[in-house]
Amino acid sequence: MSEARYSYSGIDPLLHVPARLSIVTALYANPKGLSFVELRELCELSDGNLSRHLKKLEGEAVVLVEKDFVDRLPRTTVAMTGDGRERFERYVEQLRAIVDAEAVAPRPRRRRAPGDPGRLGFVAGEE
Amino acid sequence: MSEARYSYSGIDPLLHVPARLSIVTALYANPKGLSFVELRELCELSDGNLSRHLKKLEGEAVVLVEKDFVDRLPRTTVAMTGDGRERFERYVEQLRAIVDAEAVAPRPRRRRAPGDPGRLGFVAGEE
C-alpha cells in the first residue's frame, strides 16, 4: 500500500463547493453564457447566493460577468472563460479519478471481469 | 431546458469535504478497518485534522472508532459501518452523475459515437 494514496488535498476547493460546481457545470454546458435569471433557475440558488458565488468565480477568472441594458432594463450575462473551462475540465478529471478508483469498485456487475471476485470482500453470489 | 437541472444541493455535505472523502475512501477500500496511524499516512492528514474529521464521521455513524491496548500501548482502530458504506456508495453515485452528465462530455474521444460532433462546440479536429 503506497503512502498517501487516498490524499485528496489536491481537489480544487473553488469548484468543489456544490453551489459553485452547479454554476460552472451550467455555464460549461452553455458556452455562449447565461443570464443571471437563467443561472439562478438552473442552479436553484437565491439571488444573494448566486451573486456571492459569481463574485468568487469572477475573482479567480473562471467566469466573466457582463452587465448591459435591454430596453432600458439592466441585464447580467455570465459566461465561462477559456481558463475557467480548462480548470473545470481538470476538476472533473479529479472527480473521475475518485469514482473510477479501483477501491470504489464502480458498478462491479458491469466492469468486473467474469470470475474476478473483486478486491472488496463482496459476498459471493451477492450480485 | 428543464429548471434546476444543475442544482447540486443534494450532494452529501458530510462526505464531500476532501479530507473526509479521503478517509472514507481509504476505509471503504479496507473493510476490516485501519489503525489511526495507517489512516493518517494514507490520507496525509495531521493528527488533529484526522481526529476532528473522525469525530464528525463517528457522530453520524459512518465510522466506528475503537480503542484498545496492544503491549500496553493504546491503539485506535477505525472501520466503516454498514450504513457508512451505503452512504458512501450513494455519494459516489452522486459524483458519478456529475462527471457522466452529458454536458460535461466525459472523454469525448472515447465515449462519443463516431460521427457525433458532440454538443459542446468542440473545435473540429481539436482531438
Side-chain angles (χ1 to χ4, degrees):
Chain A
M1 206 149 35
S2 73
E3 289 196 356
R5 64 181 292 188
Y6 296 109
S7 171
Y8 293 147
S9 57
I11 289 181
D12 190 333
L14 180 75
L15 304 185
H16 197 59
V17 172
R20 291 202 283 267
L21 180 53
S22 173
I23 294 167
V24 292
T25 307
L27 291 174
Y28 189 88
N30 293 279
K32 290 178 183 170
L34 292 166
S35 73
F36 188 91
V37 174
E38 287 172 321
L39 210 42
R40 191 185 61 196
E41 302 301 321
L42 283 170
C43 302
E44 222 169 23
L45 294 168
S46 68
D47 281 19
N49 247 331
L50 179 54
S51 291
R52 192 165 57 86
H53 288 301
L54 283 179
K55 208 157 277 175
K56 188 105 183 165
L57 291 166
E58 196 182 16
E60 299 218 23
V62 168
V63 306
L64 210 66
V65 179
E66 286 185 331
K67 288 169 199 284
D68 61 357
F69 287 86
V70 178
D71 295 332
R72 301 196 180 188
L73 289 169
R75 182 183 59 177
T76 301
T77 310
V78 188
M80 220 154 165
T81 64
D83 284 355
R85 295 184 70 84
E86 283 175 24
R87 184 164 173 174
F88 177 66
E89 286 163 5
R90 284 195 299 275
Y91 171 77
V92 169
E93 284 309 310
Q94 291 179 320
L95 284 199
R96 202 187 302 287
I98 293 170
V99 304
D100 284 351
E102 204 176 349
V104 173
R107 299 177 190 134
R109 77 207 66 171
R110 285 201 226 158
R111 298 205 192 173
R112 194 176 295 158
D116 174 358
R119 299 181 58 202
L120 286 175
F122 281 93
V123 177
E126 181 188 270
E127 295 163 24
Chain B
M1 206 149 39
S2 72
E3 290 197 356
R5 64 181 291 188
Y6 296 109
S7 171
Y8 293 149
S9 57
I11 289 181
D12 190 333
L14 179 75
L15 304 185
H16 197 59
V17 172
R20 291 201 284 267
L21 180 52
S22 173
I23 294 167
V24 293
T25 307
L27 291 173
Y28 189 87
N30 293 278
K32 289 177 183 172
L34 292 167
S35 73
F36 187 90
V37 174
E38 287 171 320
L39 210 43
R40 191 185 60 196
E41 302 301 321
L42 284 169
C43 301
E44 223 169 22
L45 294 168
S46 68
D47 280 20
N49 246 331
L50 179 54
S51 291
R52 191 165 58 86
H53 288 301
L54 283 179
K55 208 157 278 174
K56 189 103 185 167
L57 290 166
E58 197 183 16
E60 298 219 24
V62 168
V63 306
L64 211 65
V65 180
E66 286 185 331
K67 289 169 196 285
D68 61 357
F69 286 85
V70 179
D71 295 333
R72 300 197 180 187
L73 290 170
R75 182 182 59 176
T76 301
T77 309
V78 188
M80 218 156 167
T81 64
D83 283 355
R85 296 184 69 82
E86 283 176 25
R87 184 165 173 173
F88 177 66
E89 286 162 5
R90 283 195 299 275
Y91 172 77
V92 169
E93 285 309 310
Q94 291 179 320
L95 284 199
R96 202 186 303 287
I98 294 169
V99 303
D100 284 351
E102 206 178 345
V104 174
R107 296 179 192 131
R109 76 207 68 170
R110 286 200 226 157
R111 298 205 194 172
R112 194 177 293 156
D116 173 358
R119 298 181 59 201
L120 287 175
F122 280 93
V123 178
E126 182 189 88
E127 295 163 25

